Amino acid sequence: MNRHPSRSVLRQILDEPGAVPEPDRTHAASCATCLRHSEAMAADAGVAVAALTGAVSAVDAAVDPVPALRRLRSAETGAVPPRPTFVDRLRTRMQLARRRSLRVGAILAVVVASMGTLVATGVASNIIQIFQPENFVAVPIDITSLGALPDLTGYGSVRVLQPPRATAASSLADASSSSGLHLLAPGKLPAGVKGDPVFHVLSAGSASFTFSTAAASASAGKLGKALPALPANLDGSSLTLNGGPVVIETLGSQHSLGPFPAPSSGVSGNAADGAHHGLLGGLDGIPQLVIVQMKAPVLYSDGPTVAQYEDALLSMPGVPPSLASQIRALGDLSSTLPIPIPTSLASAHSADINGSPGLVIGDTTGIASGVLWQSHGQVYAVAGSLTDRQVVAIARSMH
C-alpha cells in the first residue's frame, strides 16, 4: 500500500509541481484523501492572497509582503503608510526572481542599479573632490536585513539640479557624437544574442545631497534609537555628484518585468521619467544583453571628507553591523565603490578586463551575469542572460 505524500509535498505540488517526483503527483491526483487536503490548502492560500492583495483569486499569485503590510497599516485610523524605499523595490524584485525571466531581471537590477548610483551627475564649484571610482568591490549582504534602512531622504535632502535627458541614437557612431564619449564596440557575440542593437544616450545633469542632523535624528527615533555623535561640520554640508554622459546599448529581448514604482518624493527637480524607468528596471522587455558606457563620476564635498561621511552614515541606526564592518574593512573609499551583492541570489568574483580590474556578478543559477570595470576615465558594464564567462568574453572583446 502506497503512503500518502506529506502535507509539505502536497503544498509543493500546488506551488511547484515540476519539482515534485511523478509518483507523488500521480498519487495526489488520484487519491481522495490527498485531494481533500490539497483543496483545503488551496482554499486557505486563496483567502490569504485575497486578504493581502485585494481579492486576488489565483492560488500561485506572487504576493509582495511589503506593500501588503503598507496597505494594512494604512487602514489603521490616523496611520500614514511609509513610501517604499529603493531597497523595498529591489528586494521585492529579487524575492520574486524564481522563473528564468525574473532571474535575469534580478541580476540586471543588481548590475544596472550599481550603475544607477553613478548616474546622478552635475558640475560643482568651490568644493573639493573626494571620490572617483577606479575599483568595484563586492560586499555580500542579506537583502532582507536592509528593510529598516532609510534612503538618503532619511538623512537630509536630495535635489536634482539638472535632470539628465534621454534621447535615442541610430548607431554607435551617432551615440558617440551625441554623448561626446569615445565608445567601444563589442566583438563577436554569443550565438544566442540576436537582433539589432538599440542605443540610448543620457546627457549629463546634476544632483546634490545636503545632510541634516534633524532628519537623521528623526529617522533614528523611528527605530527607537538615538543618533550617534557626529562631526560638527556635517550638519548642512552638501555633496554633489558629477559624472555622465551615459550610453546604453541593448540587444535582444525577453519577457517583460514591468517598471519599478516611481521614485520617492524626497527628490526634487524634474528628472526625466525615461531616465528612471530605463535604468532601474522599467524595460518593456528584458534585453538579452545590456552594455553601458559612461564618463566616470566624481563626487565633491563642500567641507567634510569622505572618511567623515563614511563614519557618520555607517554608524546610523538601521545600518546592519555586518555591512558596516565590511565597508570599513575596504579602507580608503576615495576610489573604491562597494557593490552590494544579495548572497541568496548572486555571487561575485574579480576578473581582469584588458588590464583593468573588473567585478563579475553572477546569478546563483548561472542564468544571468554582469561585469563592471573602469578604464581611462570611463566606467563600463556588460550584463545579460548569459554566463559569467560569456559576459567577461564580451567585455574583453570591446575595442
Side-chain angles (χ1 to χ4, degrees):
M1 176 175 167
N2 294 331
R3 292 184 178 180
H4 298 293
S6 66
R7 289 179 178 270
S8 62
V9 172
L10 293 177
R11 178 71 229 191
Q12 190 175 20
I13 290 175
L14 292 175
D15 296 334
E16 300 175 291
V20 178
E22 179 65 27
D24 286 337
R25 297 202 308 271
T26 302
H27 176 97
S30 59
C31 172
T33 300
C34 291
L35 285 173
R36 285 198 303 272
H37 288 315
S38 296
E39 290 172 357
M41 290 179 183
D44 289 342
V47 171
V49 169
L52 290 173
T53 64
V56 176
S57 58
V59 172
D60 62 347
V63 178
D64 183 352
V66 176
L69 178 60
R70 188 173 292 110
R71 286 193 294 271
L72 180 62
R73 288 176 173 171
S74 67
E76 299 174 3
T77 303
V80 178
R83 290 182 176 273
T85 65
F86 175 73
V87 169
D88 289 335
R89 301 193 293 272
L90 181 57
R91 183 178 64 245
T92 297
R93 182 63 57 86
M94 303 298 279
Q95 287 173 334
L96 297 180
R98 296 187 183 123
R99 299 186 297 275
R100 177 185 175 91
S101 62
L102 293 181
R103 282 282 182 173
V104 175
I107 290 301
L108 288 177
V110 173
V111 174
V112 178
S114 300
M115 299 298 294
T117 63
L118 307 176
V119 173
T121 62
V123 178
S125 60
N126 300 322
I127 49 182
I128 60 171
Q129 175 180 327
I130 63 171
F131 171 77
Q132 183 173 33
E134 296 177 2
N135 300 291
F136 302 94
V137 178
V139 178
I141 62 167
D142 175 4
I143 199 166
T144 61
S145 69
L146 299 181
L149 184 63
D151 57 24
L152 278 180
T153 58
Y155 302 125
S157 60
V158 178
R159 291 196 304 146
V160 177
L161 306 175
Q162 180 185 345
R165 300 183 308 277
T167 58
S170 60
S171 64
L172 186 71
D174 185 26
S176 179
S177 176
S178 298
S179 65
L181 297 176
H182 173 67
L183 300 178
L184 304 180
K188 184 178 180 180
L189 298 176
V193 179
K194 300 179 180 179
D196 295 327
V198 176
F199 298 92
H200 287 88
V201 178
L202 288 180
S203 66
S206 61
S208 67
F209 166 71
T210 301
F211 185 86
S212 168
T213 300
S217 180
S219 294
K222 292 177 182 178
L223 299 175
K225 305 288 186 180
L227 195 66
L230 300 174
N233 64 341
L234 203 62
D235 188 33
S237 63
S238 295
L239 295 173
T240 300
L241 192 62
N242 177 20
V246 185
V247 173
I248 304 170
E249 176 183 356
T250 60
L251 291 93
S253 179
Q254 298 186 38
H255 299 296
S256 173
L257 284 182
F260 279 132
S264 62
S265 62
V267 179
S268 61
N270 299 317
D273 291 339
H276 289 297
H277 291 285
L279 289 176
L280 297 180
L283 299 165
D284 292 333
I286 304 171
Q288 290 177 295
L289 176 64
V290 177
I291 299 175
V292 180
Q293 305 182 60
M294 65 180 291
K295 181 179 179 181
V298 180
L299 184 66
Y300 296 91
S301 169
D302 63 0
T305 65
V306 66
Q308 288 178 311
Y309 266 108
E310 176 191 351
D311 290 341
L313 294 178
L314 293 182
S315 64
M316 292 293 171
V319 177
S322 59
L323 176 62
S325 62
Q326 289 183 81
I327 293 178
R328 289 192 177 98
L330 297 177
D332 183 11
L333 294 182
S334 61
S335 61
T336 300
L337 181 66
I339 303 296
I341 304 296
T343 54
S344 61
L345 292 170
S347 60
H349 62 87
S350 59
D352 179 85
I353 308 297
N354 300 328
S356 298
L359 177 64
V360 182
I361 303 170
D363 172 44
T364 52
T365 66
I367 291 175
S369 301
V371 58
L372 293 161
W373 76 100
Q374 190 270 156
S375 178
H376 299 98
Q378 290 191 192
V379 176
Y380 303 88
V382 174
S385 53
L386 303 165
T387 67
D388 57 353
R389 290 188 177 183
Q390 287 176 315
V391 294
V392 169
I394 294 171
R396 290 172 175 167
S397 75
M398 293 181 66
H399 59 281

